[in-house]
Amino acid sequence: MAEYKIPEGKELRIAISGKSGCGNTTVSTMLAKALGIKLINYTFRQLAQEKGMTLADVIEKAKTDDSYDKFVDTKQVELARQESCVLGSRLAIWMLKEADVKIYLMASDELRAKRILGREGGSIEEIKAFTEMRDREDSKRYLKLYGIDNNDYEFVDMKVDTSVNVPEKILENILTELEKKGFIEKVAG
């Protein structure tokens, strides 16, 4: 695969969103690495680890305490505004309004559950039920907190179905699109 860079003297902020299991972390990590820029992916998962809680506990507390969401969302945007980066989060495309490129990742509920199962273990039935609950709770919170409908992503620059390609091909497609739009350039080899 070709190597790319951000043109001299320019900055690039890419926001990537999608529901759990769509490949946000994988695609965001690969893209940041390919461009040699910072990855910002601060989520409830990291907050849970920092606080010595389970992810399920944080999600449960966030149902009645808005400070969990606001802390995570504010921290991510503050970090993203500091330098060129890839911000990968559920709300990145809505919260980082000044992002140069907004990408939404999609996958079927079945595939999302299988990916989460592979990452976290458990039973597929439990994962499906938990993921459905999480999607529902996330959507309710985002609407209440920010007036954001996370099922409305028609405004993005790119929609990517992560079920039709392997991560490397998805990365290649995103890089090609970024180059076409003049955000990045190939490194002379």
Side-chain angles (χ1 to χ4, degrees), residues 52 111 154 167 182:
L111 180 58
E154 288 306 310

Side-chain angles (χ1 to χ4, degrees), residues 43-45 50 58 98 119 138 146 153 172 186:
T43 64
F44 272 0
R45 191 176 306 283
E50 287 176 13
V58 170
E98 66 270 32
R119 180 174 73 210
D138 284 353
Y146 307 112
Y153 47 84
E172 189 179 313
K186 280 188 181 158

